[in-house]
C-alpha cells in the first residue's frame, strides 16, 4: 500500500467528490492557468500523464482505474487533480432514457413483471 500513498501524496480523499464510476472524462484542449499561460503537462506524475493520454477519447472513471491498475479511490484523487488544473473535463453520463428520447414504459413494465416472477 505504499505506492498509492505516494502517488496521492498521502491524500485519502479527492478534493471533489462528484465522480461516479460512470462519470465521463475527456482531455481538455488548450488548458491554461489563471494567468492565461499554457499548462505544462511535463511536470505531472507518470500516472497523471497516463490518464491524460487515456482520456484523449472519452472514458469512464472505472475504465481509467482499470487501465492504471489502481484502486478507484486513488484514481479519483488523481482525476480531481487534473480537473482542478483544467487539464481534464468531467461530465455526468447521459442517461439511456434521455439519450433515446424518453423511457420506454412498455420495456420498463416488462422488466418489472419479469422481476416479480423471479
Amino acid at each position: 500500500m505504499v505506492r498509492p500513498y505516494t502517488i496521492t501524496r498521502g491524500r485519502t480523499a479527492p478534493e471533489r467528490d462528484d465522480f461516479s464510476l460512470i462519470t465521463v472524462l475527456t482531455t481538455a484542449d488548450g488548458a491554461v492557468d489563471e494567468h492565461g499561460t499554457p499548462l505544462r503537462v511535463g511536470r505531472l506524475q507518470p500516472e497523471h500523464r497516463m490518464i491524460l493520454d487515456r482520456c484523449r477519447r472519452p472514458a469512464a472513471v472505472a475504465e481509467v482505474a482499470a487501465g492504471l491498475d489502481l484502486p478507484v479511490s486513488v484514481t479519483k484523487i488523481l482525476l480531481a487533480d487534473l480537473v482542478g488544473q483544467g487539464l481534464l473535463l468531467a461530465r455526468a453520463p447521459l442517461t439511456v432514457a434521455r439519450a433515446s428520447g424518453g423511457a420506454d414504459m412498455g420495456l420498463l413494465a416488462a422488466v418489472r413483471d419479469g422481476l416479480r416472477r423471479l
Side-chain angles (χ1 to χ4, degrees), residues 26-95:
T26 53
T27 304
D29 293 326
V32 295
D33 65 12
E34 62 273 2
H35 304 293
T37 306
L39 293 171
R40 295 180 55 193
V41 179
R43 294 185 175 213
L44 297 174
Q45 295 179 22
E47 290 80 11
H48 285 119
R49 289 193 296 271
M50 290 188 321
I51 291 171
L52 291 174
D53 187 51
R54 171 64 181 93
C55 293
R56 291 182 195 276
R57 300 187 75 198
V61 170
E63 292 175 295
V64 174
L68 291 175
D69 196 25
L70 288 173
V72 173
S73 58
V74 172
T75 303
K76 286 181 177 182
I77 293 170
L78 299 175
L79 294 172
D81 292 345
L82 293 170
V83 170
Q85 293 175 30
L87 295 171
L88 197 64
L89 303 173
R91 72 164 171 81
L94 295 174
T95 63

Side-chain angles (χ1 to χ4, degrees), residues 5-22:
Y5 181 83
T6 58
I7 290 172
T8 62
R9 295 184 303 261
R11 295 172 292 161
T12 58
E15 291 179 16
R16 51 184 285 163
D17 194 27
D18 58 343
F19 295 121
S20 72
L21 290 176
I22 56 174

